């Protein structure tokens, strides 16, 4: 067993040696996914899917609290429907999968497998919205979508991925804009509180917005290696889709008006974000809110009298407290178990052995910082339960968030010239660059071409860094967050 | 508003006039679905989807209690993978949707959109199962599947439908067989307890089993019109798929052995079953366990002083009790509201008006039997809350179940000859026929051809009706349940 332990640990590539390989090792070794015979598609295994289920539950509750209802649209979109909004079809048609046969019969019109569902929702809105009384509609669906990517990576970019897509329609532009920002804030709050992952809220530049949107907002997170990951988006559509799909409603004055729309989504990519934000050379590090197992009890010398009984008592006490706890009484060695649950990112490990029992104590280790504490055991284990609950609810998420924020601070470079950007990246490695921009797409392209970092977003919290565009020297309009993206 | 009420009610076709049209009217008027531009696919609207979410929640809890884990497989199956098990591909290939293009590029191998996922699970098992220590695997997934049906009806038969598919793999045939029956029992218990819908558990005949299965078990429910609806299936595969996909495991003795598999599923069809089992000429009648709204409060003369305040107090008290309650204080008339919530099948309606308040009472009406009771209101509304909870948890489901069982008893005909079958159906209309069968497929076909009823299943609870096959007169082997199926 000791051998197996060593083998398992040695098989993970160190982060600093090869971050990409480290990532791939973790998704496989922590049993999050399996590759399949279907190129670019993966099996999400029980441990990976349980993380997604936790994310779904937290987000779904927030969506419902804010008045949204779940629905389910077909997965197929007839080609003619996809083509109704010009920008939208241009953006998506090159990367969709086409169904051309049903059984042995060729279809009269080919159908694409949804890459996103704006067109289907619009088709439905046109059917059900007639009066101001029918508005707003606040819809969401949990489904999978397909985009025919050339290069794929588990969770980060796959041909099929799971997501939720919110779609709402409102009587006024103001309401729709409020909704766009509300959902961006809910995503940010979810990432920061439940995933312990700091994010920057911002608006995408024109060149980077969603196909068919008036404006796109996003949350951008920094991964451990200094690269950026877009963790969620929220789009404001104005009435463009409504016009293309002839969705109109009669107002109180009986005049026909076009309603305003939004859409917003997060995906299983968030699992990749969690891995790359918090993981280390021992494997995954999970935020307690989405950890399938929050605490694991590892008995030491479990063959000795009283050890397993005591371990079971702790298990029962923690379970009663509402903690997702596991007791591993398998015949693997404690060392193997330590490595295994570290690999799986379980936030808290509790060790209990004969000496601990003698001293009425146990040992509590926290995964994200490796700290160990000895805890006295009172008769009902109340002190232990309270301490573990406090770790899971407060100390660990706060500590993980602070650690990630520290990484982001260390790798954020404020620059006022192209040379400064190049120098900062060369000296400190990949990171976020904060620099001013004139608003001209040519400058945006040039920054990317010359320094390698593209515009991630124009942060909602704008700061004044300098008066002029970092590229052309003309008057600056926006502070932009630049970075290399996943 | 009174006019709108009348109009809405008059638009539903009466069950006895045209059952099929009545069904279609309900799914549209109760806002369960909407048709789409995609032939044979539907939008499941918020009210319909909320019913499905309740079903999912109850079943998912049961699956997890019995040790199952959720996973997610790709939606695409390469043609070569689908073809690995001969019977399976023969059964499904004629009715699958084929993806032939990714973007503008023709695929080297076409992919079908999963009609069911046995082949994907087998492909994955071959990857992860090597030793007896890897068994059993008890998996489930909640996804949608596609079958290219010619004629479609909302919930009952659509080209895309939502379902769960359980897939398990075991070291021995006994274990797999136990699992097959366990899940059949869980389905039956769910239908009878949560949906108040009596079912017959039985085994399918050879001609009717799942493509690739050794044996298929099903639960069969009788709809209000006497037709049968297959409400769930559970399949035992033996080691046929394991052999086709070369899945082997090393036993304790180190010998390589083929494992044994099962799969089992229920679908959004259950929503159709609920409609056709319990619905009436006023609309939907929902079992409380899956009703999105369990009780609706309708204030009478709500403009009068004190009415809305009192209604809100009742609302708070019921909500605190954990009841999914809605207070409709919109400006529609009480009559319109009555009709609306009857259409939507809300199990309990609570009326409260000035006279009720004067008499310290309210009126409680139950949807399934139309009964009204007056309930005294104590200070904390404890008596009302207890009474409504008892209605929702016990009396209504029991009453609905008894009513459906009564319908099934009235329309079940025990027959010993072909003439008896024909006569019973002519006299009493569609229903279940119980009759003996020799086991010969030719007789099975003849019964269907001559009487119109096909074999639904061989009930697990066999009864001896007569010694001989109802068709050929040879010695009988099985009591079969026959009927016309949805």
């Amino acid at each position: 067993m000791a051998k197996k332990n060593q083998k398992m640990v040695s098989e993970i590539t160190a982060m600093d040696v090869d971050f990409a390989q480290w990532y791939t090792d973790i998704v496989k070794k922590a049993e999050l996914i399996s590759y399949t015979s279907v190129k670019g598609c993966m099996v999400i295994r029980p441990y990976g899917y349980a993380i997604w289920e936790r994310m779904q539950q937290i987000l779904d509750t927030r969506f419902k609290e804010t008045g949204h209802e779940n629905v389910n649209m077909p997965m197929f979109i007839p080609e003619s429907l996809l083509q109704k909004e010009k920008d939208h079809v241009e953006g998506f048609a090159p990367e969709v999968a086409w169904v051309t046969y049903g059984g042995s019969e060729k279809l009269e019109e080919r159908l694409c497998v949804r890459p996103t569902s704006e067109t289907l929702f619009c088709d439905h809105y046109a059917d059900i919205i007639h009066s101001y009384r029918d508005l707003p509609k606040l819809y969401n669906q949990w489904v999978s979508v397909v985009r025919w990517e050339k290069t794929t990576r588990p969770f980060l970019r796959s041909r099929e991925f799971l997501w939720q897509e919110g779609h709402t329609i409102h009587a006024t532009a103001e309401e729709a804009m409020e909704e766009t920002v509300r959902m961006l804030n809910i995503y940010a709050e979810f990432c920061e509180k439940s995933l312990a992952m700091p994010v920057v809220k911002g608006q995408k530049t024109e060149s980077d917005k969603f196909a068919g949107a008036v404006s796109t907002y996003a949350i951008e997170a920094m991964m451990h290696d200094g690269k950026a990951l877009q963790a969620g988006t929220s789009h404001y559509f104005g009435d463009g889709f409504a016009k293309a799909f002839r969705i109109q409603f009669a107002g109180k004055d009986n005049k026909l008006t076009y309603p305003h729309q939004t859409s917003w989504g997060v995906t299983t990519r968030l699992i990749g974000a969690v891995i790359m934000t918090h993981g280390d050379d021992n494997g995954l590090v999970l935020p307690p809110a989405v950890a399938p197992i929050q605490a694991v009890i590892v008995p030491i010398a479990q063959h000795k009298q009283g050890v397993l009984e005591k371990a079971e008592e702790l298990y029962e006490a923690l379970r009663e407290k509402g903690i997702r706890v596991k007791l591993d009484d398998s015949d693997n060695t404690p060392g193997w178990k330590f490595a295994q649950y570290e690999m799986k990112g379980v936030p808290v490990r509790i060790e209990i052995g004969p000496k601990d029992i003698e001293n009425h104590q146990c040992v509590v280790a926290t995964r994200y910082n490796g700290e160990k504490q000895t805890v006295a055991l009172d008769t009902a284990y109340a002190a232990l339960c309270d301490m573990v609950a406090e770790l899971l609810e407060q100390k660990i998420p706060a500590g993980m968030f602070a650690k990630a924020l520290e990484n982001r601070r260390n790798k954020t470079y404020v620059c006022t010239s192209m040379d400064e950007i190049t120098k900062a990246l060369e000296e400190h490695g990949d990171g976020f660059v904060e620099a001013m921009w004139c608003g001209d797409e040519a400058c945006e392209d040039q920054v990317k071409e010359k320094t390698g970092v593209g515009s991630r977003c124009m942060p909602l919290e704008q700061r004044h860094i300098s008066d002029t565009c970092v590229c052309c020297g003309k008057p600056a309009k926006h502070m932009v967050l630049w970075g290399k993206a996943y």
Side-chain angles (χ1 to χ4, degrees), chain A residues 182-383:
Chain A
R182 179 184 303 120
M183 301 323 289
L184 187 77
N185 285 332
I186 283 179
Y187 287 157
E189 181 198 285
F190 171 73
C191 286
E192 303 208 325
K193 293 203 170 154
S194 301
L195 306 184
M197 180 171 78
V199 293
V200 175
K201 292 184 270 191
Q203 186 177 348
K204 291 277 174 187
T205 61
E206 278 298 300
S207 67
D208 209 19
K209 67 184 196 185
F210 182 83
V214 170
S215 52
T216 286
Y217 296 82
I219 46 171
E220 299 284 335
M222 182 191 282
M223 302 296 98
H224 182 82
D225 64 349
K227 290 212 187 105
L229 187 132
Q230 177 178 296
T233 47
S234 187
H235 315 291
Y236 169 66
F237 290 130
D239 58 7
F241 275 95
K243 283 178 175 159
F245 284 80
R246 295 169 183 266
I247 308 162
Q248 284 183 299
F249 69 97
K252 286 187 188 171
D253 56 3
N254 242 350
K255 270 192 196 154
L256 283 179
T257 313
Y258 291 109
H260 292 71
Q261 289 171 240
T262 84
S263 80
W264 29 275
V266 296
T267 79
T268 34
R269 176 170 242 230
L270 284 175
I271 298 174
V274 163
I275 298 169
M276 292 196 296
T277 301
H278 302 301
D280 62 23
D281 283 346
N282 293 327
L284 199 56
V285 179
L286 288 177
V290 299
I293 304 167
Q294 294 179 307
V296 62
I297 302 172
V298 177
I300 314 292
Q302 64 184 35
H303 58 283
K304 295 221 171 144
Q305 212 193 343
V307 172
L308 276 182
E309 287 81 347
K310 186 59 88 178
E312 271 159 27
E313 285 176 27
L314 298 186
Y315 169 81
E316 277 305 325
L318 290 162
R319 204 180 57 83
E320 288 265 312
K321 182 88 179 174
I323 290 162
R324 295 189 291 278
V325 59
K326 176 179 174 163
L327 164 59
D328 186 348
D329 57 2
S330 68
D331 56 8
N332 295 308
T333 65
W336 184 89
K337 290 176 191 175
F338 284 15
Q340 172 73 1
Y341 296 104
E342 279 176 7
M343 172 65 75
K344 292 213 159 190
V346 175
V348 168
R349 180 182 71 228
I350 297 161
E351 307 162 21
I352 180 106
K355 280 197 180 156
D356 298 310
I357 293 171
E358 220 174 281
N359 298 324
H360 303 289
Q361 66 178 43
C362 68
V363 174
V364 175
T366 44
R367 171 68 181 89
Y368 86 98
N369 61 0
E371 279 180 16
K372 279 187 172 201
Q373 298 172 72
T374 300
V375 184
L377 295 176
D378 49 42
T379 37
Y381 311 116

